[in-house]
Amino acid sequence: MRRFLKKISLFGCGILLAYCALLALPLDKKFAYRFILGDCYAHGAWIWEQLTDTARRPDIVFLGSSRTLHAVWENRIEDTLAQRHDQNRSLLNLGYRLLGNYLCYAFANDLFQIHQPRLLFWEVRELEDRYSHPIFGYVADAGDVAWPAAGLHTRIVSDHWHAATVRLEYWRARLFGSELWAMPVDTARYGYAAESRMADAGELQAHKAENATRDFNEKSMPRMPRIYLEKTAELARQHGVRMVFLYLPAYGAGVDQPVFLENYRQMGAVLLPPKTILDNPANWLDHGHMNDRGAAELAGWLAGELARL
C-alpha cells in the first residue's frame, strides 16, 4: 500500500511540476484574448486591440459587465461633451459580459501597460458578485492565477485549467500555426452594444416585485471582490489615474444606491444616475440592461457629470 501511495504521490508531483513549468512559459496576450472559449462576437480580440492601440489615447475608460456594454454609449457622450460643454474627450467602453470584478482588474492591469487615462470608471451594482469571472484564467497574468490575492475561491480550479489550456494552445500555435493569428477583428472604435428593443413590461414588473422582497442588508463587502477592487485602485493610484464609480442597477433594483456606497467613496467619486432614467420601462432592453433609448438618456446626464470631473 505504501509503495502504491508513493507512486501516486510521485505522479501528482510530476503533474504539479509540469503545470508550474507550463505556467512559467511566456504567453502572447494577443493570442490569449483571441482564444477565449465561448467569447461572444470575438469581443476579447477587440478589447485587446483597444488595450494596445498606441495611436489612440483614451481619456476616460469604463470597466464593467454587460450592463456597462449596454449603458455607456461612448460616441454619444463624446458628442454631447463637445456640443454642450466644449470639451473634447476620447471614451472607451471595455465592458464584458458576465459578472466578477477579477476581470476588470485584469483588464486594468493590461490597460496601464500602455495607457494612462485621466479617469477609470468602475461599474458597481446593488451588491458585489462573490465569484471570479469565468474567463479570468485565460487573460490574467500567471502570478495572479497561481497566487490569487483572494486565496481559495469557487472558480480556482477552472482558472488554473483555463490558464493551462491557453498556454498549451499558444505553444501548439507557435509550433504548428493557428487560424487565430489571422482571425478577423472588429475595427469599430467604440464598444457600446447597440440594441433598440424594449423589454416586456410583464417581465420588468415581475423582476421589480422580486427585488422588493430581496435582502440588501449585507454589512460588509465580501472579501473577494473587495480585494480586487483595492488592487485596481492601487494600480490606478500608481499610474496617476483617478477612479470613479458608476452605479448601474437592474430595473426596479429595490435600492437607490449601492449597498457598499461608503466603501466606494473611500476610493473615488460615485455617480448615481437619476431615477427618472432608471425607473422608465421604455429605457430597458431587459431587466438588467438598458436599450438605446436608455443609453441615450444616460449619455446626456453622464456628459454633464464628466464635464464637472
Side-chain angles (χ1 to χ4, degrees), residues 195-267:
E195 183 56 74
S196 60
R197 287 186 297 113
M198 287 177 54
D200 177 75
E203 177 200 347
L204 293 182
Q205 289 308 311
H207 187 75
K208 185 175 182 178
E210 179 183 335
N211 277 334
T213 62
R214 189 177 174 187
D215 183 10
F216 290 101
N217 292 320
E218 291 193 31
K219 301 301 181 183
S220 60
M221 186 183 294
R223 179 173 178 271
M224 293 167 61
R226 175 178 55 78
I227 285 175
Y228 280 91
L229 172 56
E230 290 173 349
K231 283 173 67 69
T232 308
E234 177 59 21
L235 274 179
R237 187 193 65 78
Q238 291 173 6
H239 288 87
V241 177
R242 181 181 175 187
M243 278 196 76
V244 183
F245 299 89
L246 176 61
Y247 182 45
L248 292 176
Y251 177 81
V255 284
D256 294 335
Q257 59 190 35
V259 171
F260 305 117
L261 178 64
E262 294 309 316
N263 295 80
Y264 306 131
R265 281 180 170 164
Q266 292 174 16
M267 291 174 261

Side-chain angles (χ1 to χ4, degrees), residues 18-20 22-23 25 27 35 137-138 145 157-171:
Y19 172 68
C20 290
L22 180 63
L23 208 61
L25 289 174
L27 171 67
F35 179 75
Y138 291 119
V145 176
V157 174
S158 65
D159 283 352
H160 281 278
W161 177 259
H162 293 156
T165 301
V166 72
R167 283 162 175 79
L168 280 172
E169 288 297 321
Y170 169 64
W171 283 98

Side-chain angles (χ1 to χ4, degrees), residues 43-272:
H43 196 51
W46 179 86
I47 286 178
W48 178 251
E49 295 302 316
Q50 307 310 307
L51 291 173
T52 57
D53 184 359
T54 56
R56 183 177 186 182
R57 296 293 178 185
D59 301 299
I60 304 167
V61 175
F62 292 81
L63 298 176
S65 68
S66 54
R67 292 191 186 182
T68 292
L69 266 179
H70 286 279
V72 179
W73 198 341
E74 305 118 297
N75 54 322
R76 190 77 174 247
I77 299 170
E78 287 178 355
D79 291 344
T80 305
L81 276 168
Q83 295 166 9
R84 297 184 186 174
H85 306 282
D86 196 26
Q87 293 187 16
N88 292 316
R89 296 281 182 258
S90 175
L91 276 65
L92 180 58
N93 182 340
L94 294 180
Y96 194 93
R97 69 187 186 91
L98 303 179
L99 303 177
N101 70 5
Y102 287 43
L103 187 64
C104 294
Y105 161 75
F107 284 176
N109 193 30
D110 287 336
L111 173 74
F112 292 152
Q113 304 304 311
I114 294 180
H115 301 296
Q116 283 77 49
R118 189 170 66 89
L119 300 174
L120 180 69
F121 271 80
W122 183 278
E123 171 193 307
V124 295
R125 299 170 298 278
E126 302 91 321
L127 292 166
E128 284 288 344
D129 186 73
R130 296 174 178 270
Y131 305 106
S132 169
H133 195 284
I135 74 161
F136 180 76
Y138 291 119
V139 301
D141 288 347
D144 288 321
V145 176
W147 300 282
L152 294 175
H153 57 86
T154 55
R155 287 197 176 117
I156 192 168
V157 174
S158 65
D159 283 352
H160 281 278
W161 177 259
H162 293 156
T165 301
V166 72
R167 283 162 175 79
L168 280 172
E169 288 297 321
Y170 169 64
W171 283 98
R172 186 187 67 80
R174 284 281 301 270
L175 293 172
F176 305 109
S178 171
E179 66 277 5
L180 287 178
W181 295 119
M183 172 182 168
V185 179
D186 188 357
T187 58
R189 175 182 172 86
Y190 300 106
Y192 170 67
E195 183 56 74
S196 60
R197 287 186 297 113
M198 287 177 54
D200 177 75
E203 177 200 347
L204 293 182
Q205 289 308 311
H207 187 75
K208 185 175 182 178
E210 179 183 335
N211 277 334
T213 62
R214 189 177 174 187
D215 183 10
F216 290 101
N217 292 320
E218 291 193 31
K219 301 301 181 183
S220 60
M221 186 183 294
R223 179 173 178 271
M224 293 167 61
R226 175 178 55 78
I227 285 175
Y228 280 91
L229 172 56
E230 290 173 349
K231 283 173 67 69
T232 308
E234 177 59 21
L235 274 179
R237 187 193 65 78
Q238 291 173 6
H239 288 87
V241 177
R242 181 181 175 187
M243 278 196 76
V244 183
F245 299 89
L246 176 61
Y247 182 45
L248 292 176
Y251 177 81
V255 284
D256 294 335
Q257 59 190 35
V259 171
F260 305 117
L261 178 64
E262 294 309 316
N263 295 80
Y264 306 131
R265 281 180 170 164
Q266 292 174 16
M267 291 174 261
V270 182
L271 301 187
L272 306 175

